[in-house]
Amino acid sequence: MIDETIEEIREMQTHSSSVVAIKAARALGELTEREYAAIDDFERALEHNAGALRRSNPSHASLHNAMRQILDRVVGEATTVEGAMSALEQAIDEVVTDIELGKRRAAANAAETFVDGETFLTHDYSSTVLDAVETAAASTTLTAYVTEARPRYLGRKCARELATLDTVDTHLMTDGACGHFLPECDRVVIGMDCIVEDILYNRVGTFPLVTAANHVGVPVTVVGSSTKLIDEFRFENEVRPATEVMLEPARGITIENPAYDATPVDLLSEVVTDEGVREI
């Protein structure tokens, strides 16, 4: 299960960074099904596999945090293999619960920021933003502009889910059209992969969108769990396959396909997490 999870994370079959962290945490439960001669052997196996899972996608702060928290709660905390296994099971449950609660609370806090009749623009696919909109749409009427989020077109998935909400008027557009529609929007509402110190890392296309929003005076709200706010983390961008951009052979052309871009936090208006709303 651990090896399969590592491969899945590398291939990014799971999009949400929070879901990735939960999958990785639960995968470590496989270690309780093995036999160990001594507690040192168990702890070495845990450290090795947690490190391998963390390295499978070094761009995900949630994954980094989850592995670090599990290690902190298990290594050196028991005197027997059985005790360490019990501590691991408890740590996995606690970390998963923290992630899930963080997402739900962040979405609930973000839902309260929507007002009736608001028009917003969102980029790519954020399950936390979608949860917030769904909650807000129960009592408000909203208009949503959604970018396709090329080259993986995850914005199309976002638009389809928003379109199921009767009180949300959903519009899908190409990424490059954001400047055309931004003047019609009250604000931009997007998710985040992570915020490291004063930089927001999010799906590529976020930086030009936020820059354009700043130019036309449209505020930007970022939504996500506080577990994605991290100081000690070395973000490493993921380079996606060239075939996502161009299927046919491209002789003499270097295909560039980074997964994320970097946006200065001072271009944002507010960050909404499970801990509340923080104005920038």
Side-chain angles (χ1 to χ4, degrees), residues 107-122:
N109 288 336
E112 294 179 359
T113 68
F114 285 92
V115 297
D116 190 38
E118 181 175 1
T119 298
F120 69 95
L121 188 154
T122 191

Side-chain angles (χ1 to χ4, degrees), residues 6 28 42-53 55 71:
I6 289 172
L28 288 175
F42 174 79
E43 290 184 346
R44 278 195 295 270
L46 175 58
E47 290 172 336
H48 170 76
N49 284 281
L53 284 161
R55 290 190 297 274
L71 289 175

Side-chain angles (χ1 to χ4, degrees), residues 114 117-126 129-130 133 142-149 155 158-159 162 168-191 202 204-214 216 218-223 268:
F114 285 92
E118 181 175 1
T119 298
F120 69 95
L121 188 154
T122 191
H123 176 59
D124 196 67
Y125 182 97
S126 166
V129 170
L130 281 167
V133 174
L142 304 170
T143 299
Y145 283 89
V146 187
T147 59
E148 286 186 308
C158 175
L162 288 174
V168 179
D169 179 18
T170 305
H171 303 252
L172 180 66
M173 62 183 180
T174 60
D175 295 10
C178 66
H180 180 78
F181 292 104
L182 271 170
E184 301 179 24
C185 299
D186 296 302
R187 63 171 170 160
V188 172
V189 183
I190 53 177
N202 197 46
V204 69
T206 298
F207 178 52
L209 168 59
V210 172
T211 302
N214 271 253
V216 298
V218 175
V220 178
T221 297
V222 172
V223 182
L268 311 177

Side-chain angles (χ1 to χ4, degrees), residues 28-73:
L28 288 175
E30 177 188 324
L31 298 177
T32 63
E33 301 170 3
R34 303 177 186 177
E35 295 184 0
Y36 306 90
I39 189 171
D40 290 346
D41 297 326
F42 174 79
E43 290 184 346
R44 278 195 295 270
L46 175 58
E47 290 172 336
H48 170 76
N49 284 281
L53 284 161
R54 185 175 62 246
R55 290 190 297 274
S56 64
N57 194 319
S59 66
H60 279 348
S62 294
L63 174 59
H64 173 87
N65 274 339
M67 296 299 98
R68 184 182 63 185
Q69 289 173 11
I70 288 174
L71 289 175
D72 288 345
R73 298 179 190 191

